[in-house]
Amino acid sequence: MTTPKLYIETVGCQMNVLDSELVVGSLRRQGYELVHTPQEADVIFYNTCSVRQHAEDKIYSALGRLRGHMERHPDKVLGVLGCMAQKDQELILRRAPYVNIVCGTGQLAQLPALIEQVKATREPQLALSLARKEASREEVTASFESYDPMRDPSMRPTPFQAYVRVQIGCDKFCTYCVVPSTRGPEQGRHPEHIAAEVKQLADEGAIEITLLGQTVNSYRYKYGDGRVVRLSDLLEKIHDTPGLARIKFITNFPRDMGDDLLDAVRDLPRVMPYLHVPAQSGCDIMLKRMKRMYTIESYREMLVRCREKIPGVAISSDFIVGFCGETEESFQKTCDLVRESRFKNSFIFKYSARAGTKADELYPDDVPEEVKKVRNNELLAIQSEVSLADQRQMVGRTVEVLVEGPSKNALKKGETSGPTQLTGRTPTDHIVVFDGNPRLAGRILPVTIREAAAFTLFGDIVTGEQVGAESREPLPERQGERSPEPSEKRFTLPLV
Ligand code: SAH
Ligand code: SF4
Ligand code: F3S
């Protein structure tokens, strides 16, 4: 029997990257091999995102391009997974009748069985979680419970960096956002399960763990006896896992940025001083319409508190421009916030109306696309200036960099061995490029910053360190040497 081949393409956030890793892990165990193009594959999967229209359009076009291929190869299996599967459901089959599997975020563990069902019956298979109003909270929650046990290091961007889900779903219901319906009710995973997964990953060679949750700092787990575990407790719990050097967590909800968490980031040396805390807008009227549950004054106070508690912390943000009713005056308030907040960087999005959300129901999408574009560019330009000023302060400093591998430039030129341009990240998540041997991937080394651009720092490895001098960050003993694979062998997951 020939080895079955799998192609998977991923759009969306880190949750989807992690889900794809898990899907590949489970299918590899069934004997599947990964391939680079849909044409080579027996099973073709798209792991989808619905957060903006653009992300959905990309997938529907990709499906459109496969129509002829699927008609010529009726034995192949085509599956749409993830958030758009949960959101659009049968609509996907109406728009692309040659799709065989529609599988929501909470049902991915069923995929091996669904593939077999399609092969046996050639009937389309739908595996979806319950809608939030369809049943009791307990039943809906159970239908979204993800599975996280089977990890596949070869699917990660690097073998020494891994995501761990600590929280599933979201209960914030920001009025513009589909995530509470595509990912279901908020549920914190059991702390022991998280700790066990972190340990397994560290044993397999991961030195950096990023804890994932839509509002990760709202994480709570309540034991039967009433004891509550918060994110700060969880960080403490996993902190001393042998082999771990760096712990990060994303994404934070501004209102839930408790002092206990900030103290934990300050006091636990392996927790990196980097916080992603999206503001979304600098105008209270917009924040109220978005139902973000904080004011700009309280957001500013939160920033001050973060910086007082954690010296040297880097903070990044997300913004939506052109939300319903955003006037030039509201937008200028957002510009003011970006000018004064010294964010390391900001992700800026044009508002995209999503069917089924409160904003779509209540407010007209009344900012013209052209205006959204202009505001997007204006805010980007302001953030670039802020980022450049922030990065320039780093020139002359020596920072600990986790080497990720050859830079994009080096990969383009095909340089994956011998001295080349490498890329890595500082504890504050700043990107640094420097020359070195690709074999240094997975090491934490001191790099002196020589030059700064808005989103990249340029530096030099401190002489003598290439051969293994002590690093300031506690890098515990590990048995055997890690042997990072050359990057071109790895599968890159395209993101929107
Ligand atoms: N849970 C995270 C992020 C979820 S989605 C949080 O709450 O911060 C990532 C980002 O996409 C959001 O921060 C927001 O800036 C953006 N986004 C979400 N819905 C959007 C929409 N309908 N249109 C444009 N941007 C959107
Ligand atoms: Fe969406 Fe708001 Fe939840 Fe983030 S907090 S996932 S923006 S509803
Ligand atoms: Fe992520 Fe997109 Fe779903 S941002 S949670 S993949 S809608």
Side-chain angles (χ1 to χ4, degrees), residues 193-328:
H193 297 176
I194 296 168
E197 191 174 344
V198 169
K199 184 177 177 309
Q200 184 196 330
L201 288 163
D203 286 346
E204 289 167 5
I207 61 171
E208 179 184 275
I209 293 285
T210 303
L211 305 180
L212 297 184
Q214 293 298 343
T215 56
V216 69
N217 57 338
S218 324
Y219 171 87
R220 274 167 69 86
Y221 186 87
K222 200 167 172 187
Y223 282 104
D225 62 6
R227 238 174 349 122
V228 171
V229 177
R230 303 161 298 179
L231 182 64
S232 53
D233 306 314
L234 196 58
L235 290 171
E236 205 175 319
K237 188 177 175 66
I238 63 167
H239 186 262
D240 293 329
T241 309
L244 268 198
R246 289 186 170 193
I247 303 168
K248 299 179 178 174
F249 54 92
I250 47 174
T251 296
N252 294 285
F253 190 68
R255 195 198 58 182
D256 295 341
M257 204 48 119
D259 281 344
D260 60 305
L261 179 60
L262 301 182
D263 289 342
V265 177
R266 180 195 57 209
D267 297 338
L268 298 170
R270 292 179 196 160
V271 177
M272 296 295 103
Y274 165 64
L275 301 170
H276 183 57
V277 203
Q280 311 296 3
S281 169
C283 167
D284 281 336
I285 302 166
M286 290 299 106
L287 288 177
K288 197 153 187 210
R289 281 195 158 196
M290 291 175 170
K291 201 169 128 328
R292 287 290 287 182
M293 298 183 278
Y294 52 84
T295 60
I296 273 307
E297 196 191 341
S298 64
Y299 186 87
R300 285 196 171 102
E301 282 166 11
M302 186 266 318
L303 286 182
V304 170
R305 213 155 36 83
C306 292
R307 290 185 167 126
E308 273 173 8
K309 288 258 184 201
I310 313 166
V313 69
I315 299 170
S316 62
S317 186
D318 291 355
F319 288 95
I320 296 176
V321 296
F323 186 59
C324 317
E326 187 188 66
T327 58
E328 188 54 32

Side-chain angles (χ1 to χ4, degrees), residues 171-449:
D171 276 349
K172 298 292 194 273
F173 287 98
C174 304
T175 56
Y176 51 80
C177 185
V178 291
V179 174
S181 64
T182 62
R183 294 262 168 195
E186 181 183 318
Q187 42 182 325
R189 276 180 78 204
H190 195 298
E192 295 303 333
H193 297 176
I194 296 168
E197 191 174 344
V198 169
K199 184 177 177 309
Q200 184 196 330
L201 288 163
D203 286 346
E204 289 167 5
I207 61 171
E208 179 184 275
I209 293 285
T210 303
L211 305 180
L212 297 184
Q214 293 298 343
T215 56
V216 69
N217 57 338
S218 324
Y219 171 87
R220 274 167 69 86
Y221 186 87
K222 200 167 172 187
Y223 282 104
D225 62 6
R227 238 174 349 122
V228 171
V229 177
R230 303 161 298 179
L231 182 64
S232 53
D233 306 314
L234 196 58
L235 290 171
E236 205 175 319
K237 188 177 175 66
I238 63 167
H239 186 262
D240 293 329
T241 309
L244 268 198
R246 289 186 170 193
I247 303 168
K248 299 179 178 174
F249 54 92
I250 47 174
T251 296
N252 294 285
F253 190 68
R255 195 198 58 182
D256 295 341
M257 204 48 119
D259 281 344
D260 60 305
L261 179 60
L262 301 182
D263 289 342
V265 177
R266 180 195 57 209
D267 297 338
L268 298 170
R270 292 179 196 160
V271 177
M272 296 295 103
Y274 165 64
L275 301 170
H276 183 57
V277 203
Q280 311 296 3
S281 169
C283 167
D284 281 336
I285 302 166
M286 290 299 106
L287 288 177
K288 197 153 187 210
R289 281 195 158 196
M290 291 175 170
K291 201 169 128 328
R292 287 290 287 182
M293 298 183 278
Y294 52 84
T295 60
I296 273 307
E297 196 191 341
S298 64
Y299 186 87
R300 285 196 171 102
E301 282 166 11
M302 186 266 318
L303 286 182
V304 170
R305 213 155 36 83
C306 292
R307 290 185 167 126
E308 273 173 8
K309 288 258 184 201
I310 313 166
V313 69
I315 299 170
S316 62
S317 186
D318 291 355
F319 288 95
I320 296 176
V321 296
F323 186 59
C324 317
E326 187 188 66
T327 58
E328 188 54 32
E329 197 189 341
S330 320
F331 172 65
Q332 285 307 325
K333 289 186 177 159
T334 302
C335 296
D336 292 342
L337 182 70
V338 172
R339 266 187 215 103
E340 78 188 47
S341 297
R342 291 183 284 132
F343 295 120
K344 174 181 87 83
N345 65 317
S346 291
F347 299 94
I348 300 164
F349 307 104
K350 289 179 287 179
Y351 172 59
S352 168
R354 312 311 293 131
T357 60
K358 271 277 170 247
D360 192 49
E361 192 184 304
L362 295 177
Y363 315 114
D365 178 11
D366 54 1
V367 177
E369 180 60 25
E370 206 33 56
V371 176
K372 287 181 185 170
K373 229 184 252 171
V374 169
R375 290 183 184 168
N376 192 341
N377 290 342
E378 189 175 336
L379 201 56
L380 260 178
I382 297 170
Q383 179 60 55
S384 299
E385 267 180 45
V386 172
S387 297
L388 186 60
D390 164 64
Q391 304 248 108
R392 279 197 176 133
Q393 289 188 356
M394 314 247 326
V395 174
R397 278 200 232 160
T398 298
V399 281
E400 301 292 330
V401 172
L402 169 57
V403 185
E404 292 180 351
S407 69
K408 272 192 208 135
N409 263 343
L411 284 177
K412 246 192 245 156
K413 289 193 214 149
E415 299 170 357
T416 51
S417 61
T420 181
Q421 190 180 60
L422 302 177
T423 176
R425 285 191 192 248
T426 69
T428 46
D429 203 55
H430 288 80
I431 297 168
V432 188
V433 298
F434 47 95
D435 288 340
N437 192 307
R439 288 164 64 104
L440 294 172
R443 297 270 306 275
I444 294 172
L445 297 172
V447 173
T448 305
I449 305 303

